Amino acid sequence: MSNETYTPPKVWQWDKESGGAFASINRPVAGATHDKALPQGQHPMQLYSLATPNGVKATVMLEELLELGFEGAEYDAHLVRITEGEQFGSGFVEANPNSKIPVLVDHSTTPPIRVFESGSILLYLAEKFNVLLPHTPEQRTEVLNWLFWQMGSAPYLGGGFGHFYAYAPEKYEYPINRFAMEVKRQLDVLDQQLAKHPYVAGRTYTIADIAIWPWYGALVRNEAYSAAEFLDTQSYKNLNRWVGEIAERPAVKRGRMVNRTWGEPSEQLHERHSAGDFDNNTQDKVTDKDVD
């Protein structure tokens, strides 16, 4: 890549991959690239996902519902390997024309309801089960304020800072500084809010916390982009308190394991089809079975 200033053409054309991580799956057109039906398990909720921050939102939400005793939230979680382009299969595109994980299909209704975009999944499930979203207009709106804050802010963290700091083929000062500044501002927004409240939207744990924790928790814990030291995330004391407390929730511990294909084998549950899978089918146990 040249250090020369780029002069955009009058009409942009896609004539080569951009380079860097995920270049092989980035393209300027929508739609399916191949025919492949989605698998379907036995439970009402069918999730198609990967344990990226957006995917973790959905699995944590479902596990929180099960923790609260909602049997109707029982689910199958099918692994979608996005680096292999599985999100461009015809069945997946039918469920989500935008070809992004996660996708939820609720088979407890006739016809089944498709739900795509992680924020939409959280809101759909909160309303369906009447939980983790307050009822009063003031409190409900505050939760939605923070839910949509996350949906609007995370692209600056992931597609902006994360891309140029960790994934771009070469590092350049301007984009890294530009997005580092914005991410630091976001961290300060959260830190100041959490100085006044135990949870992001107030006194109770809600879908706002479930939406925000996978992105900003991973950053603070140095599980995203290896950038915690660079961004001095430990200086945000209130945010760190909240991140640590959320991480200890049993449903969060389970949810972050589902559809995970990296890290410690004992923390990887590639697919989840029953609660027993957490004890019996993590990758350390699957590998042991294969060896036998």
Side-chain angles (χ1 to χ4, degrees):
M1 184 180 291
S2 172
N3 286 323
E4 296 178 0
T5 301
Y6 173 63
T7 301
K10 290 184 177 180
V11 178
W12 182 86
Q13 293 184 347
W14 184 46
D15 56 6
K16 61 181 179 180
E17 293 181 356
S18 60
F22 310 111
S24 63
I25 61 171
N26 291 331
R27 57 197 183 110
V29 294
T33 60
H34 59 282
D35 290 328
K36 184 177 181 180
L38 287 178
Q40 183 177 332
Q42 62 178 333
H43 299 303
M45 301 295 171
Q46 298 295 303
L47 183 71
Y48 306 90
S49 191
L50 182 69
T52 65
N54 286 334
V56 168
K57 294 179 203 175
T59 50
V60 166
M61 180 66 178
L62 288 163
E63 291 296 330
E64 291 283 10
L65 292 171
L66 292 171
E67 187 82 6
L68 291 169
F70 292 101
E71 294 180 2
E74 190 56 78
Y75 70 104
D76 293 272
H78 306 276
L79 179 63
V80 179
R81 298 180 186 273
I82 61 174
T83 57
E84 298 178 15
E86 292 180 352
Q87 69 275 33
F88 299 115
S90 56
F92 192 96
V93 173
E94 184 177 354
N96 181 4
N98 198 39
S99 293
K100 301 290 184 182
I101 60 94
V103 169
L104 178 72
V105 181
D106 181 358
H107 289 269
S108 70
T109 68
T110 303
I113 296 175
R114 71 178 187 181
V115 195
F116 60 88
E117 289 296 328
S118 57
S120 181
I121 291 172
L122 294 181
L123 184 56
Y124 176 81
L125 291 172
E127 291 183 333
K128 181 180 180 72
F129 293 98
N130 196 27
V131 70
L132 297 171
L133 181 63
H135 298 147
T136 66
E138 179 182 3
Q139 292 175 323
R140 175 186 170 87
T141 300
E142 184 67 4
V143 171
L144 296 182
N145 287 340
W146 287 102
L147 173 63
F148 288 108
W149 176 88
Q150 185 277 314
M151 298 297 291
S153 297
Y156 290 96
L157 169 55
F161 174 77
H163 174 76
F164 287 106
Y165 183 80
Y167 299 140
E170 297 180 27
K171 287 181 168 57
Y172 287 97
E173 181 178 0
Y174 174 78
I176 291 175
N177 282 349
R178 168 66 180 85
F179 289 111
M181 178 178 64
E182 171 59 16
V183 171
K184 294 278 287 182
R185 188 192 68 80
Q186 293 176 9
L187 294 172
D188 198 37
V189 168
L190 289 172
D191 195 63
Q192 291 187 37
Q193 178 69 4
L194 290 163
K196 297 179 288 185
H197 305 284
Y199 297 101
V200 172
R203 296 180 60 83
T204 59
Y205 178 73
T206 68
I207 59 173
D209 301 284
I210 296 173
I212 293 168
W213 187 86
W215 279 100
Y216 296 88
L219 191 68
V220 165
R221 290 154 59 97
N222 204 38
E223 296 171 353
Y225 319 126
S226 299
E229 182 179 11
F230 178 73
L231 295 170
D232 190 24
T233 63
Q234 292 305 305
S235 66
Y236 302 95
K237 301 303 182 184
N238 304 300
L239 176 58
N240 274 268
R241 182 268 306 164
W242 171 82
V243 166
E245 290 176 0
I246 301 298
E248 291 304 310
R249 295 180 68 90
V252 172
K253 291 181 178 181
R254 293 194 303 270
R256 66 187 302 272
M257 294 169 61
V258 180
N259 298 145
R260 187 177 182 89
T261 60
W262 57 90
E264 292 295 324
S266 62
E267 296 182 353
Q268 297 181 36
L269 182 60
H270 286 190
E271 297 211 347
R272 182 238 188 253
H273 300 289
S274 74
D277 287 337
F278 292 102
D279 294 324
N280 302 319
N281 287 320
T282 52
Q283 280 304 106
D284 57 327
K285 297 180 176 66
V286 170
T287 300
D288 290 343
K289 291 176 184 177
D290 290 343
V291 172
D292 294 342

